[in-house]
Amino acid sequence: MSVCVTIRTEKKLRPNVYLKHLAENGEHIVVTSDEYPSVKFGTHQKAIRGIEVNKEDYGLEVRVCSFSSTADYQLFAKTVDALMILTGDKAYLEDDDETEITEPLAKFNDEWIEKQHESSFRVTCALINRSGQYIVMYGLFCHFCLGPNLYSDFDISLTGDYERDNANRLLENLCEMQWLCANLEDTHTRMVIPSPTGGVEEGLSVSMICVKDGEVGKFDYISEANLLGIMDMDDEEVAPVFIPFREVWKILPKDVFTPLDELQYLRKGEVTLDMVHEMMERARHLQPNDLHYKPTYPGAGFDEAQHTFILMWNPNISSLSLGDHIWNIANMYAEYFNWSVWEHEKAKCGDRFFLVCVGKGDTGIVMSGVFDSHPYEVKDWSGKGFYMDMLPNVILEPGFAPMVTTEELQKAIPSFDWTGGYSGRLLSQEDA
């Protein structure tokens, strides 16, 4: 999502010409790329994404992207105005010869800027609410990641209602983050794990924490990539570990790292060798067998590489009450889920699960999704049990939403006991 204006000119305008013009007219700008084909700059201490001036065959293109700051949008209008003055040529909205821009400062005014903010939030809320996934955007100095946890922190509803004050607080936070990270060192590397098919776009980028020569590599914050890798280069017997970035929060020492946004974390204390090794051990059960594998969620088809497990929940005796379950419906994208799995030795990260409500009252399937960890041992009410982390794609309220009942399940698949028993039993592939 972006807004673009093209100045149709044959003049080979060097970047320093319009950057100097803006500075002489009171703009305090910081430039992060001063060469074509893309010049990038933003207002000092006020930019989130900044703006771009791109060199095209038909002239110069000025672009501002969604989730920019008010200062970014204002700089966009002033840059269009400056290029029109310096070239003496006409400007058009997007690539449309019919829509000429004659007064950019009037057209891209405060009212227009507010509409851009509202549109950006409505669209991102809809995307996150539909998928439960985060959205990564380029900033002037670093990526920023929008998602359900971040929106929840700023009391922003994913229903799409525009809450201006909360939205402005989030934008201010993203601006502070850009300028905080401007001079900090991150964990991003040039390392990419290539796709088995050879597809360049399917390669997985890596942010890496390394131990070398007895020291933890220097970094100020953990930056977003497809995977977080942790490696001890001093010990060949210790295998490196790679986990999806959405799992990073599960392994970080809380007193050493603080969130920057949905996925990235600022280091606020010393990271010792022992800490790194502890993080590696905590991460082992979060590493998928195949880093490139994308599990199929229930309802989206059937993948024979996945096993299917039936989890049981009796709200009358469980530590998870019906009230807790109903609360989880509204918070499913921001909440952490795990469950005990009886036949854990047959289970793996990426397998499917269905949670069946049993006992008294309305019973049947109330949750589905995939596991996003391998089994791990936990002390629980029974002494010790094996649990797995869950990523739900559906949660239903018993007695309120239509659901597949235990009676229907028992009739369709009589070989399985749907009324109770151990939680986390494997369903045959034929029945699955």
Side-chain angles (χ1 to χ4, degrees), residues 243-244 246-251 282-287 295 297 309 311 335-341 344 347-353 367-378 385-392:
I243 63 173
R246 65 173 182 268
E247 312 290 352
V248 169
W249 68 273
K250 297 178 182 178
I251 69 168
R282 285 200 294 269
R284 294 290 176 195
H285 74 275
L286 300 173
Q287 176 172 304
Y297 279 84
F309 288 84
L311 311 177
E335 185 62 10
Y336 167 63
F337 298 87
N338 68 354
W339 212 271
S340 61
V341 179
H344 56 85
K348 64 183 183 303
C349 183
D351 282 343
R352 307 192 309 165
F353 73 82
M367 185 190 296
S368 67
V370 298
F371 293 123
D372 64 332
S373 80
H374 296 298
Y376 55 93
E377 197 168 16
V378 172
F386 282 87
Y387 283 69
M388 296 179 72
D389 295 347
M390 308 148 73
L391 282 177

Side-chain angles (χ1 to χ4, degrees), residues 392-404:
N393 69 324
V394 171
I395 307 180
L396 304 176
E397 180 179 344
F400 181 79
M403 62 184 186
V404 181

Side-chain angles (χ1 to χ4, degrees), residues 145-380:
C145 310
L146 307 173
N149 287 290
L150 185 67
Y151 277 19
S152 176
D153 289 343
F154 285 87
D155 296 321
I156 296 172
S157 170
L158 292 178
T159 59
D161 295 333
Y162 181 57
E163 298 146 327
R164 181 176 179 177
D165 290 343
N166 293 339
N168 285 339
R169 286 196 304 115
L170 176 54
L171 289 173
E172 289 171 4
N173 181 77
L174 295 176
C175 182
E176 291 173 2
M177 172 185 162
Q178 288 298 313
W179 294 92
L180 172 66
C181 294
N183 297 307
L184 298 184
E185 190 168 338
D186 63 25
T187 55
H188 190 73
T189 71
R190 294 183 180 274
M191 178 180 178
V192 174
I193 298 178
S195 165
T197 63
V200 176
E201 293 183 356
E202 296 174 356
L204 300 176
S205 60
V206 181
S207 274
M208 184 68 74
I209 298 174
C210 287
V211 171
K212 186 177 182 181
D213 299 329
E215 295 183 352
V216 181
K218 184 180 182 303
F219 68 93
D220 298 305
Y221 71 98
I222 296 175
S223 52
E224 184 273 339
N226 296 125
L227 304 169
L228 175 71
I230 311 177
M231 178 182 297
D232 187 342
M233 301 178 71
D234 294 337
D235 192 341
E236 295 181 356
E237 295 184 0
V238 178
V241 61
F242 297 91
I243 63 173
F245 226 82
R246 65 173 182 268
E247 312 290 352
V248 169
W249 68 273
K250 297 178 182 178
I251 69 168
L252 297 181
K254 298 293 189 294
D255 56 339
V256 178
F257 293 94
T258 186
L260 281 170
D261 58 16
E262 184 79 11
L263 296 174
Q264 302 178 116
Y265 299 86
L266 181 69
R267 183 181 63 81
K268 60 179 182 179
E270 181 186 6
V271 179
T272 66
L273 289 175
D274 287 342
M275 286 180 185
V276 172
H277 290 147
E278 288 173 8
M279 287 164 60
M280 293 179 77
E281 288 308 306
R282 285 200 294 269
R284 294 290 176 195
H285 74 275
L286 300 173
Q287 176 172 304
N289 295 337
D290 180 355
L291 294 173
H292 292 274
Y293 177 71
K294 295 182 179 180
T296 301
Y297 279 84
F302 185 74
D303 183 348
E304 293 198 5
Q306 293 171 290
H307 289 159
T308 300
F309 288 84
I310 306 303
L311 311 177
M312 295 295 180
W313 170 53
N314 188 334
N316 300 306
I317 60 174
S318 173
S319 58
L320 180 76
S321 69
L322 180 58
D324 294 333
H325 177 81
I326 294 171
W327 185 89
N328 287 336
I329 295 173
N331 298 277
M332 64 179 290
Y333 291 144
E335 185 62 10
Y336 167 63
F337 298 87
N338 68 354
W339 212 271
S340 61
V341 179
W342 175 252
E343 294 189 87
H344 56 85
E345 70 281 353
K346 301 175 184 177
K348 64 183 183 303
C349 183
D351 282 343
R352 307 192 309 165
F353 73 82
F354 292 89
L355 178 66
V356 180
C357 178
V358 297
K360 299 178 181 179
D362 297 288
T363 59
I365 297 176
V366 294
M367 185 190 296
S368 67
V370 298
F371 293 123
D372 64 332
S373 80
H374 296 298
Y376 55 93
E377 197 168 16
V378 172
K379 289 184 179 180
D380 62 8

